[in-house]
Amino acid sequence: ETGVTQSPTHLIKTRGQQVTLRCSSQSGHNTVSWYQQALGQGPQFIFQYYREEENGRGNFPPRFSGLQFPNYSSELNVNALELDDSALYLCASSPARSITDTQYFGPGTRLTVL
Amino acid sequence: AQRVTQPEKLLSVFKGAPVELKCNYSYSGSPELFWYVQYSRQRLQLLLRHISRESIKGFTADLNKGETSFHLKKPFAQEEDSAMYYCALAGGTSYGKLTFGQGTILTVHP
């Protein structure tokens, strides 16, 4: 069983650009969640997808969007990048969408916006 | 609204000493509480969760609904326990959305 993977590891963009981050969930995990972790803070929930449909969203603007695919991969898209979007982006997969499920985290993508 | 507070950003103890990492939460319903840990150069991983009522690596955590706390304890700290610890909450219809605290960096000195 392979773990959760994310790509790229690091990314540098300029303000106003668009970015796509990718995540590959553990096989068999139908739920993927995305988190933003600013420096010195705990992860903050962006949104969750279950079987390719958005299943909950945190306090993030619509320029943060996502997709989940049948092959257990998913994307986080951010449009019109702002300096404050600089952070570590984590994806986490879980088997179902129960609140008691363990979430398995990827290593993260470090996004820097200049 | 859900909120998790970890009042200590840094915590230092000596090997063999007891350690307690504090976590307080705010939630109106019945929450599920977790402790996640991140060791140096490793990814975030589950340490333990309230529903399992288990001890992992010597750590235990008891949910105190009256004090809305879920403190993490270990009677004898080891150097390999040095890590970042996050308390997290999931509740109600959140379908596994985790609300994290800011984290506590635990350093265990030899």
Side-chain angles (χ1 to χ4, degrees):
Chain A
E1 182 181 278
T2 57
V4 178
T5 59
Q6 291 186 244
S7 63
T9 305
H10 298 89
L11 200 54
I12 299 175
K13 291 285 189 178
T14 56
R15 196 170 45 182
Q17 285 189 311
Q18 179 266 341
V19 69
T20 297
L21 310 182
R22 293 180 173 82
C23 171
S24 181
S25 300
Q26 284 191 205
S27 180
H29 284 194
N30 293 307
T31 301
V32 63
S33 303
W34 285 89
Y35 294 85
Q36 181 194 66
Q37 187 173 19
L39 201 61
Q41 303 294 317
Q44 189 174 357
F45 177 76
I46 303 174
F47 46 56
Q48 182 182 85
Y49 279 78
Y50 175 71
R51 293 187 172 175
E52 302 161 52
E53 291 193 3
E54 189 176 293
N55 187 49
R57 189 176 185 91
N59 190 26
F60 281 80
R63 58 190 186 84
F64 285 78
S65 63
L67 287 171
Q68 185 186 26
F69 304 100
N71 65 350
Y72 305 112
S73 66
S74 59
E75 292 179 354
L76 164 64
N77 298 288
V78 188
N79 293 321
L81 283 167
E82 301 177 0
L83 297 179
D84 286 348
D85 295 334
S86 295
L88 181 68
Y89 288 85
L90 299 169
C91 75
S93 72
S94 54
R97 54 178 181 173
S98 166
I99 64 172
T100 61
D101 272 354
T102 298
Q103 295 197 21
Y104 296 84
F105 283 83
T109 293
R110 174 74 62 186
L111 173 65
T112 302
V113 182
L114 303 176
Chain B
Q2 302 176 180
R3 176 177 285 185
V4 176
T5 302
Q6 294 179 250
E8 302 140 330
K9 188 73 173 176
L10 302 169
L11 184 62
S12 290
V13 300
F14 286 99
K15 178 182 174 181
V19 63
E20 181 179 50
L21 290 83
K22 290 183 166 51
C23 171
N24 289 93
Y25 67 90
S26 174
Y27 183 68
S28 57
S30 293
E32 292 299 329
L33 276 298
F34 305 81
W35 278 98
Y36 279 80
V37 62
Q38 187 166 26
Y39 301 103
S40 179
R41 299 188 191 87
Q42 295 187 27
R43 63 186 65 189
L44 197 59
Q45 59 185 288
L46 178 70
L47 177 63
L48 59 77
R49 50 184 177 168
H50 154 245
I51 194 171
S52 300
R53 300 184 185 278
E54 56 195 346
S55 173
I56 303 293
K57 298 185 178 182
F59 285 97
T60 60
D62 291 318
L63 178 62
N64 186 323
K65 292 186 177 181
E67 296 184 356
T68 59
S69 68
F70 189 57
H71 302 327
L72 183 68
K73 300 177 184 179
K74 184 169 183 177
F76 307 102
Q78 302 299 313
E79 290 179 68
E80 55 265 31
D81 296 329
S82 296
M84 171 71 92
Y85 291 81
Y86 292 99
C87 182
L89 176 156
T93 58
S94 65
Y95 291 119
K97 160 195 170 182
L98 290 174
T99 299
F100 284 87
Q102 289 195 323
T104 297
I105 300 172
L106 173 65
T107 302
V108 181
H109 300 283

